[in-house]
Amino acid sequence: MAAPFVHLDVRSCFSLKEGAFTPEQLVARAAALGMPAVALTDRDGLYGAARFVAACEQAGIRPILGASVGSR
C-alpha cells in the first residue's frame, strides 16, 4: 500500500507572483483530497502561517511550515 501524498513546496497569495490562493483555500483543497498533512512554504517569510495553522487545526490536517528564502 502506498503512503499518502503530501505537498511540501506550496506558495500562497502571500508570495507575490508565485501563489494565488489563501491559506484557507489550500487547507480546504488538501482536506478534499484526503491529505493527512500539507505544507505552506511562502517566499521570504511566514506571512500566512497563523491563518494556515488555524485552518489546519479546524480541518484535522497536520500543518508543515517552511519558507523559501534567499536569492532567486
Side-chain angles (χ1 to χ4, degrees), residues 25-53:
Q25 290 169 324
L26 167 62
V27 173
R29 184 65 178 149
L33 294 172
M35 293 181 173
V38 67
L40 179 65
T41 51
D42 278 329
R43 178 148 250 349
D44 296 326
L46 298 170
Y47 308 112
R51 290 172 52 178
F52 175 69
V53 170

Side-chain angles (χ1 to χ4, degrees), residues 18 42-45 67-72:
E18 294 186 20
D42 278 329
R43 178 148 250 349
D44 296 326
S68 181
V69 296
S71 61
R72 292 183 181 190

Side-chain angles (χ1 to χ4, degrees), residues 6-28:
V6 174
H7 282 284
L8 297 177
D9 189 19
V10 183
R11 313 262 193 287
S12 75
C13 61
F14 291 102
S15 294
L16 298 177
K17 297 183 181 179
E18 294 186 20
F21 52 85
T22 67
E24 294 84 3
Q25 290 169 324
L26 167 62
V27 173

